[in-house]
Amino acid sequence: KQEVTQIPAALSVPEGENLVLNCSFTDSAIYNLQWFRQDPGKGLTSLLLIQSSQREQTSGRLNASLDKSSGRSTLYIAASQPGDSATYLCAVANSGNTPLVFGKGTRLSVIA
Amino acid sequence: GAVVSQHPSRVICKSGTSVKIECRSLDFQATTMFWYRQFPKQSLMLMATSNEGSKATYEQGVEKDKFLINHASLTLSTLTVTSAHPEDSSFYICSARGRNSPLHFGNGTRLTVT
């Protein structure tokens, strides 16, 4: 059974810092991996989707990498801003038809 | 704009009553819908998977008689929490997938049972 772990559970950084969020998964035979942002009491915003054949995806200040063989992904946020404060969720799909399996998330606080 | 509409966004109900949550796909036919539940500071946990026209498949530990899922059309799935109790208070979120479309999430429903 696929399990997703995210470290750290919470992170507080001053504005402007670069930071890395970590995600690991137990079954490396994934179909894709996705990073989401969730604001308190809100739904999910998809940030980056990495297919199993890809190594990384970039969008603006965000870069997500995938090392499928070791079961790891990282989300790199450059030049963090207070508006980046949210919970970041990592989720994996084992096939194109199966549901996403989520980690518990990393609660990020960027202090002005 | 949103491609999956979930209503209501918030609901407060008394213990013992039932609550229905709707999830609609707006511009695609949702052949499969997934219902998740999220307790505070916890991950999204899959409750059930529903395919249009078929009975939902529930995850272990989820009571199918308490959480009724109906997916009678390709654009609508409903989750009814029957005889709700305070421990059912949670954030419920649906996601939908079409034959040729990626997975889309609704904005979630915050249920509070008093």
Side-chain angles (χ1 to χ4, degrees):
Chain A
K1 179 183 176 184
Q2 181 71 270
E3 292 182 1
V4 179
T5 302
Q6 290 187 246
I7 295 173
L11 180 64
S12 183
V13 300
E15 182 178 6
E17 271 203 9
N18 304 325
L19 57 102
V20 175
L21 308 181
N22 298 290
C23 172
S24 61
F25 43 95
T26 54
D27 183 352
S28 62
I30 64 169
Y31 180 74
N32 62 39
L33 181 145
Q34 204 160 353
W35 283 92
F36 293 89
R37 168 184 174 140
Q38 185 178 31
D39 291 286
K42 303 293 185 182
L44 305 179
T45 300
S46 179
L47 298 174
L48 291 164
L49 170 67
I50 310 177
Q51 301 292 348
S52 62
S53 59
Q54 297 175 321
R55 286 264 182 177
E56 66 177 348
Q57 285 286 332
T58 298
S59 176
R61 294 182 293 108
L62 305 180
N63 176 277
S65 68
L66 174 63
D67 184 343
K68 201 171 73 163
S69 61
S70 67
R72 294 180 182 180
S73 175
T74 61
L75 177 66
Y76 175 82
I77 302 177
S80 58
Q81 303 171 357
D84 295 331
S85 299
T87 295
Y88 290 81
L89 296 166
C90 170
V92 300
N94 282 87
S95 78
N97 296 319
T98 54
L100 291 174
V101 178
F102 285 84
K104 288 186 178 181
T106 294
R107 293 189 308 281
L108 173 65
S109 295
V110 181
I111 311 300
Chain B
V3 296
V4 173
S5 176
Q6 185 173 342
H7 291 281
S9 58
R10 291 178 180 271
V11 58
I12 300 172
C13 70
K14 292 185 177 180
S15 185
T17 61
S18 295
V19 175
K20 180 183 284 187
I21 302 170
E22 292 188 349
C23 183
R24 294 180 183 272
S25 57
L26 299 181
D27 57 3
F28 67 99
Q29 293 184 328
T31 51
T32 304
M33 285 198 178
F34 303 102
W35 285 94
Y36 290 86
R37 177 169 56 182
Q38 184 182 33
F39 291 107
K41 298 185 179 180
Q42 297 295 314
S43 180
L44 277 76
M45 298 300 295
L46 182 68
M47 297 175 67
T49 301
S50 73
N51 294 298
E52 186 267 337
S54 303
K55 287 185 178 180
T57 301
Y58 290 81
E59 295 298 300
Q60 191 174 7
V62 178
E63 300 174 56
K64 62 180 181 181
D65 293 330
K66 180 171 183 63
F67 299 99
L68 302 179
I69 292 173
N70 183 289
H71 191 173
S73 79
L74 283 170
T75 59
L76 175 64
S77 176
T78 61
L79 166 66
T80 301
V81 183
T82 63
S83 187
H85 289 98
E87 58 264 31
D88 298 323
S89 298
S90 186
F91 186 69
Y92 294 85
I93 190 165
C94 68
S95 62
R97 172 186 289 139
R99 287 193 181 88
N100 296 308
S101 67
L103 194 63
H104 296 285
F105 282 83
N107 282 332
T109 298
R110 171 73 58 193
L111 170 64
T112 303
V113 184
T114 60

